[in-house]
Amino acid sequence: MTDWNDRVRERERILLSDSWGRLYKNIFDYRRSDGSWQTQTRETYDRGDGAAVLPYDPDRGTLLLIRQFRYPAWVRGHHEPLVEVCAGLLDADDPFTCIRKEAEEELGVTLEAPVRVMIPFMSPGSVVEQLHLFVARYSPRDRTGDGGGHKNEGEDIEVLELPFAEALAMIDDGRICDAKTILLIQHVALKGLLRP
């Protein structure tokens, strides 16, 4: 088995920006499969890890999602708000605490028993963030507020309760194009947690 720590030698890390997240220029030596060493330069962006949750109601066959404006998507020409799962940065919280807080703030629901299903890198070519992805059962009695997020954090969130079949159709026709949301909806489908 290859020890990958023996294949990478970090030479220099230069902080380029420290605003909303940290952008670094990284210079390192990489030992290729043929044994030769190659110096490479990569930029990495670090804003911390995050967590996301997809609440689902097996009795009614529904999901809870949000719709919100995302400036980076707008810059790329997606001039509609994105339909997404509830998510947030961990900050000082553990993933379970984070996702419960975010569900109350963004969705207006209290989730009792979220289940972590995966921890993917979403864009490992340049972003160091890992997302802790959860699913959680909910019902109408779990509604504890209106949701919508925090205005002082720039959030302007619409809560969507959708039939599972409609959410699947929205992936197919491109109305849902957020990777974490697609992963979690497909997880629910593959595990048979809901039926279209």
Side-chain angles (χ1 to χ4, degrees):
M1 181 124 185
T2 302
D3 181 358
W4 283 91
N5 289 323
D6 290 339
R7 293 185 67 169
V8 178
R9 288 186 262 186
E10 292 185 298
R11 298 175 81 182
E12 190 174 7
R13 174 184 264 197
I14 303 161
L15 181 63
L16 301 176
S17 176
D18 187 3
S19 183
W20 195 51
R22 290 185 174 140
L23 178 64
Y24 292 97
K25 177 180 179 180
N26 306 277
I27 303 167
F28 60 96
D29 295 326
Y30 173 72
R31 187 164 45 93
R32 301 175 56 82
S33 298
D34 65 7
S36 65
W37 286 92
Q38 182 180 42
T39 299
Q40 296 186 12
T41 302
R42 296 287 184 274
E43 289 181 1
T44 55
Y45 183 65
D46 185 353
R47 63 185 197 118
D49 288 346
V53 65
L54 176 60
Y56 68 97
D57 182 341
D59 296 328
R60 296 181 303 134
T62 57
L63 304 171
L64 278 181
L65 298 168
I66 62 171
R67 185 182 350 246
Q68 67 179 326
F69 173 74
R70 293 292 200 179
Y71 180 74
W74 184 85
V75 168
R76 289 289 299 174
H78 188 88
H79 293 167
E80 300 283 327
L82 290 183
V83 175
E84 304 177 46
V85 291
C86 166
L89 293 176
L90 297 185
D91 297 322
D93 292 325
D94 65 88
F96 288 94
T97 301
C98 172
I99 214 54
R100 285 185 179 111
K101 280 185 189 176
E102 293 295 332
E104 289 176 7
E105 293 170 8
E106 294 185 3
L107 296 168
V109 296
T110 298
L111 300 176
E112 294 301 322
V115 176
R116 185 169 26 210
V117 296
M118 63 187 89
I119 310 171
F121 288 101
M122 299 303 289
S123 188
S126 60
V127 179
V128 301
E129 176 188 32
Q130 284 187 286
L131 278 179
H132 298 258
L133 299 183
F134 294 83
V135 294
R137 290 177 69 131
Y138 83 99
S139 70
R141 70 180 172 272
D142 297 319
R143 179 138 332 259
T144 53
D146 294 330
H150 288 302
K151 183 177 181 180
N152 63 336
E153 294 177 9
E155 295 176 330
D156 184 18
I157 293 171
E158 176 186 1
V159 179
L160 304 174
E161 186 171 55
L162 299 175
F164 184 50
E166 183 178 348
L168 289 170
M170 291 172 75
I171 292 172
D172 287 342
D173 67 22
R175 286 178 290 159
I176 293 178
C177 56
D178 171 68
K180 66 186 178 297
T181 305
I182 294 168
L183 281 171
L184 282 169
I185 291 172
Q186 292 296 340
H187 174 82
V188 167
L190 288 169
K191 294 296 183 180
L193 301 176
L194 292 179
R195 300 279 179 213

